Amino acid sequence: MSDYERYGDYNEIEDDAPKSKNPVLLILKILTAVICVGVIGLLAFRMIAFKSYPDSVKDVYFNDELTAHYNEKNGDITVLTQSLRAPYDDKDAGNFFCDHLYLIEDINQLQITLRYNESTIEKLSAELGVALDDMDPDLFSFSLSACMGLIDPAGPDKEENFLLERYELVSDKVFDSKLMYRYHKLIFDGVEFNTDSECAPYWIRLEITLKDHDNGKTYMVPIYENNEKLHDFKEYKLGKDERP
């Protein structure tokens, strides 16, 4: 065998030897994987937190009126609920969100849960130039407007032509917080529903205003509909802990 042949065999052995990995490339791959896992975890956490409500504001709340009704009926009460089609004041800004609508028609009571992010209060503070306390349970005033029809049936479907019935929050409310969110459980008494009649409201909206700081805005969230687009109500079954 010639020297050239032996030299060729040596090169083949060298080519088959495992190459060492670039440590910099390996570190970059690990960092990329960690960042991806972190981002996915953060998004999952935010989604879970977004949909999570404390029991204090999620469950049916028994104030004096509902407790008396429950005892009178020996617990055989009817609570209706409805999915909210647009449960926010603004689909882009998303300042306020509502969920957990409960209707107790026999005593004309409406319950709704309002949620907002502490960043909403930071934004309002910046707009007003004052330091608002996001943990203040009396920061906002709440009321309902129920559209009972049009003043002029042939007129435009606009605010100035709505026949509105207004309800102030004179009943109970519960305030709670969890992580970056703040919650209000609002209970309105004296709301006329007449769901099965022609006198039922077309829609009801929750109206939110700052109590002691006038920023000229009213934030409105549609929370009830009984019209051609949405008119389905279903019975809500009380949980074992939802008792007076």
Side-chain angles (χ1 to χ4, degrees):
M1 180 180 295
S2 67
D3 292 338
Y4 290 109
E5 291 175 340
R6 286 195 298 270
Y7 183 74
D9 293 341
Y10 177 76
N11 282 341
E12 291 176 3
I13 295 174
E14 287 293 322
D15 290 340
D16 293 337
K19 297 180 180 179
S20 59
K21 294 183 178 180
N22 187 328
V24 176
L25 184 59
L26 179 60
I27 292 172
L28 288 175
K29 288 182 178 179
I30 293 174
L31 287 175
T32 301
V34 170
I35 292 173
C36 289
V37 171
V39 170
I40 294 173
L42 179 61
L43 291 175
F45 171 77
R46 291 297 297 268
M47 287 298 296
I48 293 172
F50 183 81
K51 295 182 178 181
S52 176
Y53 286 76
D55 290 342
S56 61
V57 296
K58 180 176 65 175
D59 295 343
V60 171
Y61 179 82
F62 283 84
N63 65 349
D64 292 342
E65 286 77 6
L66 185 54
T67 298
H69 176 60
Y70 183 92
N71 292 333
E72 180 185 351
K73 297 294 185 179
N74 294 318
D76 186 19
I77 65 173
T78 299
V79 180
L80 300 179
T81 188
Q82 183 183 60
S83 297
L84 276 63
R85 191 159 53 97
Y88 41 73
D89 66 307
D90 185 291
K91 65 179 181 180
D92 297 320
N95 300 298
F96 299 95
F97 290 81
C98 286
D99 203 348
H100 304 291
L101 171 69
Y102 302 125
L103 311 173
I104 304 92
E105 294 189 330
D106 289 339
I107 58 171
N108 296 328
Q109 186 177 102
L110 181 150
Q111 301 189 11
I112 191 68
T113 301
L114 173 73
R115 184 193 71 230
Y116 52 88
N117 196 309
E118 59 185 11
S119 63
T120 296
I121 308 305
E122 293 173 358
K123 182 170 64 175
L124 291 175
S125 296
E127 289 178 0
L128 292 166
V130 297
L132 301 176
D133 182 5
D134 63 276
M135 293 298 292
D136 182 1
D138 297 317
L139 188 60
F140 297 102
S141 294
F142 306 101
S143 60
L144 298 179
S145 282
C147 179
M148 310 305 295
L150 298 177
I151 298 173
D152 178 5
D157 187 15
K158 293 184 178 181
E159 181 80 12
E160 61 270 16
N161 196 34
F162 293 155
L163 180 60
L164 296 178
E165 186 75 32
R166 298 189 183 277
Y167 302 95
E168 298 299 324
L169 181 64
V170 294
S171 187
D172 302 71
K173 67 177 180 178
V174 178
F175 177 79
D176 207 343
S177 64
K178 185 176 182 181
L179 300 174
M180 73 287 292
Y181 293 110
R182 307 293 176 261
Y183 306 87
H184 287 274
K185 177 78 169 183
L186 306 172
I187 300 91
F188 291 86
D189 288 315
V191 182
E192 297 291 340
F193 297 110
N194 301 313
T195 303
D196 296 327
S197 75
E198 294 182 356
C199 299
Y202 287 90
W203 49 255
I204 300 175
R205 69 191 181 201
L206 176 67
E207 299 184 353
I208 308 131
T209 56
L210 280 166
K211 183 175 289 186
D212 298 320
H213 305 275
D214 185 12
N215 65 344
K217 296 180 181 178
T218 299
Y219 304 91
M220 296 176 287
V221 184
I223 60 172
Y224 166 104
E225 291 186 77
N226 191 15
N227 48 55
E228 293 181 357
K229 292 182 179 179
L230 186 64
H231 54 267
D232 294 328
F233 298 88
K234 62 181 181 180
E235 186 171 352
Y236 175 80
K237 298 297 183 182
L238 294 175
K240 62 180 181 179
D241 296 326
E242 291 177 293
R243 300 289 188 274

